[in-house]
């Protein structure tokens, strides 16, 4: 019977530094190999296998110098010749930056259950395999690079230290955390104590969850993107039991459930009586929801008619309204998105935009040169940059690969995606790269088809989304509270039902909010939704009303089928790629009009949707006074300080 083997983690370039005490005849010997975490016959193993020291030139990919244009990269036939084919003829205006090229490498993947058997005895002697249940602790050390010392429960056995010269230690530990609890030792902060669940519990998890969902609550805290995008459809009793306890236990009291959920998002505090800063909302008669119609997308002719002879946009307010009601035809998006995202000022002339573009091009390539010019020796001493680079390479290779712009091997679109994300790390090194950001960049690069323009538009979008990806995730905390508040107003019966199923915190909407419905809609619908939300109409936080519209469409099935905690998660996840964006936008706008017409609206709702701010600006305009810049709200309910000049305005409703 064939063994069942699944590769959980696989990283090459892990070195051993054998010492004479460990039986090495050569004190300078370095053993290079691959480190894997594998699932084999219901056991989780850490496996190290030495590699032969060889480089296959056919695996090297050559890059054209003009990396801001879309080019097809040809394989190097040898060390001397390089070829490339242009996919589109594009005159680059960044010729002075032609030296900033790019090189990437293909990676040979293991086939499950296969590895080379041709190692010499001298190298194969360093191979080892350890069951994680036999691990006692892992000590994390720094020596210009990170190396890990694995200590076994059996003190008579030992394994060599693992040296991560090329990064990957964080990913290894994160993968290990899916199957074991790693806690800092009170005596030594560099030492992580390893504890694993009992075998029966592990077996039950194995039957319920795939590798993307294992340890979901812990992953939620460490990596919300993977945890939410990993397939909620298969989540069953694990989260349910984690929140409620087993059948033998009494149901957890509400305050204890709140504490557990609060741990999912760091800093989240839940008041069982009422949310902090919001009054208790009782049933309010909102009246009949008006019917809303949408119009055709803005055409190229319509767009050009709103420009004066010098290229200034005329009647910006009317143009925004038209885009909100119908979106944009694809031919207009490349230019219009630059205005919607704040890269181009609405009042700028064509000449001013050309000058701005040249300035931004210089600024972009200076930042790109910073990471391109880092030597291997420097990178070896910069663990954060290595970690960012490793994450980016992994995410780029799995972002929108079914889209023609990114499909296939050696696709130039993937190279541009990689380079922009690496350069963003130079632009905002404190945030760097967090999983999920590639999903936000992909549609922008698809539309712009230009590295520099895509970068600065992405910067503007990230100004709105920044707090979604910060360690404390303040943006996600705020949005989930605000969404719950809105749903209580719109449909108290439905909210009470979700609350009775321990789903009142709406964590099943986490993925929607984190990357703005990117994984819920087909690609073309993502483009339509984003450009509509970037108009900043009809109110602040319109994306929360989009969430309400989707939930309103699904509430009947959820309640009639009497879905519980697990079924709600599964049902919401299975909506992916089945949503009709035009119907959703119609309903969301109808919800806005319904709420707007309510005379006795709770202050919390007015604050979430920005009605108080709109009223102040309107009153100032009526009295002839100068409107105050609306800088006290943004898409996540919080604004970042010190925005760059090219960033969007304070109020942003995407």
């Amino acid at each position: 019977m064939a063994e069942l083997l699944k590769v959980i983690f696989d990283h090459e370039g892990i070195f051993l530094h054998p010492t004479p005490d460990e039986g090495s005849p050569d004190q300078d010997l370095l053993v290079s190999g691959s480190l894997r975490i594998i699932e084999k016959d219901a056991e989780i193993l850490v496996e190290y296998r030495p590699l032969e020291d060889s480089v296959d030139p056919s695996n090297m990919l050559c890059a054209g110098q003009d990396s801001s244009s879309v080019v097809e990269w040809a394989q190097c036939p040898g060390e001397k010749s390089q070829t490339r084919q242009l996919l589109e003829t594009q005159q680059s205006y960044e010729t002075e930056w032609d030296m900033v090229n790019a090189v990437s490498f293909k990676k040979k993947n293991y086939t499950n259950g296969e590895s080379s058997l041709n190692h010499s005895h001298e190298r194969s002697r360093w191979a080892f395999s350890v069951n994680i249940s036999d691990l006692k602790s892992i000590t994390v050390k720094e020596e210009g690079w990170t190396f890990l010392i694995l200590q076994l429960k059996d003190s008579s056995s030992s394994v060599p230290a693992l040296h991560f010269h090329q990064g990957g230690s964080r990913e290894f530990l994160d993968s290990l955390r899916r199957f074991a609890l790693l806690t800092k030792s009170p005596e030594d902060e560099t030492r992580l104590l390893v504890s694993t669940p009992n075998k029966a519990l592990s077996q039950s998890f194995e039957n319920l969850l795939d590798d993307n969902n294992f340890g979901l609550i812990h992953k939620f805290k460490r990596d919300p993107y993977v945890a939410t995008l990993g397939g909620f459809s298969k989540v069953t009793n694990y989260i349910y039991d984690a929140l409620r306890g087993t059948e033998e236990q009494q149901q957890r009291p509400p305050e204890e459930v709140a504490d557990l959920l609060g741990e999912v998002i760091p800093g989240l505090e839940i008041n069982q009586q009422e949310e902090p800063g919001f009054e208790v909302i009782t049933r309010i008669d909102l009246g009949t929801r008006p019917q809303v119609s949408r119009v055709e997308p803005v055409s190229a002719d319509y767009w050009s008619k709103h420009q004066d002879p010098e290229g200034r946009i005329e009647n910006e307010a009317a143009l925004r309204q038209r885009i909100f009601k119908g979106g944009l035809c694809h031919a207009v998006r490349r230019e219009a998105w630059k205005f919607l995202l704040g890269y181009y000022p609405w009042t700028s002339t064509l000449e001013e935009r050309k000058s701005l573009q040249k300035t931004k091009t210089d600024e972009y390539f200076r930042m790109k040169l910073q990471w391109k010019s880092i030597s291997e020796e420097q990178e070896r001493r910069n663990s954060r940059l290595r970690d960012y680079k490793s994450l980016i390479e992994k995410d780029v290779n799995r972002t929108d690969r079914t889209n023609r712009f990114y499909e296939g091997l050696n696709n130039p679109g993937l190279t541009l995606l990689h380079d922009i994300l690496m350069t963003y790390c130079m632009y905002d090194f404190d945030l760097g790269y967090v999983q999920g950001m590639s999903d936000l960049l992909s549609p922008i690069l698809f539309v712009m088809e230009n590295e520099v323009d895509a970068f600065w538009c992405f910067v503007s979008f990230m100004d709105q989304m920044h707090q979604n990806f910060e360690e404390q995730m303040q943006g996600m905390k705020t949005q989930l509270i605000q969404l719950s508040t809105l749903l209580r107003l719109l449909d108290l019966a439905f909210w009470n039902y979700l609350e009775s199923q321990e789903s009142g915190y709406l964590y099943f909407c986490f993925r929607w909010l984190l990357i703005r419905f990117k994984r819920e809609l087909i690609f073309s619908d993502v483009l339509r939704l984003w450009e509509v939300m970037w108009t900043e109409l009809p109110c602040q936080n319109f994306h929360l009303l989009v969430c309400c519209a989707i939930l309103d469409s699904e509430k009947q099935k959820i309640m009639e089928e009497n879905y519980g905690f697990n079924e709600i998660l599964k049902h919401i996840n299975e909506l992916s790629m089945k949503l009709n964006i035009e119907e959703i936008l119609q309903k969301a706008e109808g919800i806005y009009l319904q709420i707007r017409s309510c005379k006795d609206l709770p202050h919390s709702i007015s604050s979430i949707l920005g009605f108080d701010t709109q009223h102040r600006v309107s009153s100032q305009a009526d009295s002839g006074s100068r409107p105050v810049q609306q800088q006290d709200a943004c898409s996540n309910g919080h604004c970042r300080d010190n925005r760059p000049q090219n960033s969007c305005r304070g109020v942003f409703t995407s």
Side-chain angles (χ1 to χ4, degrees), residues 65 81 194 586:
Q65 285 184 320
S81 64
V194 182
Q586 283 181 330

Side-chain angles (χ1 to χ4, degrees), residues 161-345:
L162 300 169
H163 293 256
F164 292 76
H165 289 201
Q166 301 172 16
S169 60
R170 180 181 298 178
E171 290 82 358
F172 170 72
L173 292 174
D174 285 347
S175 298
L176 207 59
R177 285 186 174 97
R178 293 156 63 177
F179 308 98
L181 180 63
L182 306 184
T183 55
K184 282 187 178 180
S185 168
E187 293 83 15
D188 182 0
E189 63 179 12
T190 67
R191 187 179 178 217
L192 299 173
L193 303 178
V194 182
S195 58
T196 54
N198 62 58
K199 189 169 182 179
L201 188 59
S202 298
Q203 186 66 42
S204 66
F205 286 172
E206 182 183 310
N207 295 334
L208 295 172
L209 305 172
D210 63 14
D211 64 304
N212 288 324
N213 291 325
F214 197 100
L216 184 60
I217 285 184
H218 186 76
K219 288 177 66 183
F220 232 144
K221 187 173 181 179
R222 293 191 52 80
D223 192 344
Y225 174 77
V226 172
T228 53
L229 273 62
F232 270 167
S233 61
K234 296 183 180 180
V235 175
T236 53
N237 295 343
Y238 176 50
I239 293 183
Y240 188 75
D241 289 344
L243 300 181
R244 295 190 59 186
T246 60
E247 293 180 359
E248 290 78 12
Q249 296 173 320
Q250 294 183 350
Q251 182 170 330
R252 298 182 188 272
E255 59 272 15
E256 188 174 342
V257 174
D259 290 341
L260 283 169
L261 287 173
E263 293 177 1
V264 173
I265 295 184
L268 179 59
E269 297 176 0
I270 299 172
N271 187 322
Q272 290 301 302
Q273 301 302 318
E274 54 183 282
E275 303 297 353
F278 299 103
E279 72 266 38
V280 176
I281 296 176
T282 55
R283 189 182 299 276
I284 296 175
D285 184 8
L286 295 175
T288 305
R289 184 176 300 165
Q291 294 295 314
V292 174
S293 61
R294 291 185 56 77
V295 299
E296 292 296 315
V298 170
S299 65
D301 288 342
Y302 188 91
W303 176 264
S304 62
K305 288 177 181 177
H306 280 73
Q307 298 185 35
D308 69 11
E310 293 185 330
R312 295 186 186 87
I313 300 296
E314 297 180 317
N315 203 348
E316 172 194 339
L319 191 55
R320 282 181 183 272
Q321 179 66 28
R322 184 69 166 73
I323 296 172
F324 171 76
K325 294 293 291 184
L328 297 159
C329 71
H330 193 69
V332 179
R333 283 183 172 132
R334 188 180 303 180
E335 183 176 3
W337 279 23
K338 297 172 188 176
F339 289 94
L340 290 171
L341 283 166
Y343 177 34
Y344 285 169

Side-chain angles (χ1 to χ4, degrees), residues 448-465:
M448 295 299 150
E449 296 184 313
N450 177 278
E451 184 174 7
V452 175
D453 292 342
F455 173 81
W456 289 112
C457 287
F458 176 65
V459 164
S460 293
F461 194 18
M462 280 302 301
D463 283 342
Q464 324 309 320
M465 305 293 289

Side-chain angles (χ1 to χ4, degrees), residues 173 342 517 611:
L173 292 174
F517 306 94
F611 292 162

Side-chain angles (χ1 to χ4, degrees), residues 415-463:
T415 304
L416 299 184
L417 204 63
H418 170 275
D419 287 2
I420 292 171
L421 292 171
M422 283 296 299
T423 305
Y424 186 82
C425 291
M426 299 294 104
Y427 175 84
D428 188 348
F429 203 82
D430 286 341
L431 180 65
Y433 178 78
V434 181
Q435 287 184 305
M437 288 165 57
S438 62
D439 273 295
L440 299 185
L441 172 59
S442 170
I444 295 175
L445 178 58
F446 172 82
V447 168
M448 295 299 150
E449 296 184 313
N450 177 278
E451 184 174 7
V452 175
D453 292 342
F455 173 81
W456 289 112
C457 287
F458 176 65
V459 164
S460 293
F461 194 18
M462 280 302 301
D463 283 342

Side-chain angles (χ1 to χ4, degrees), residues 143-169:
E143 192 178 273
W145 60 85
T146 301
F147 66 95
L148 305 180
I149 302 172
L150 277 58
Q151 182 179 359
L152 304 180
K153 293 177 181 177
D154 181 2
S155 58
S156 63
S157 303
S158 64
V159 294
L162 300 169
H163 293 256
F164 292 76
H165 289 201
Q166 301 172 16
S169 60

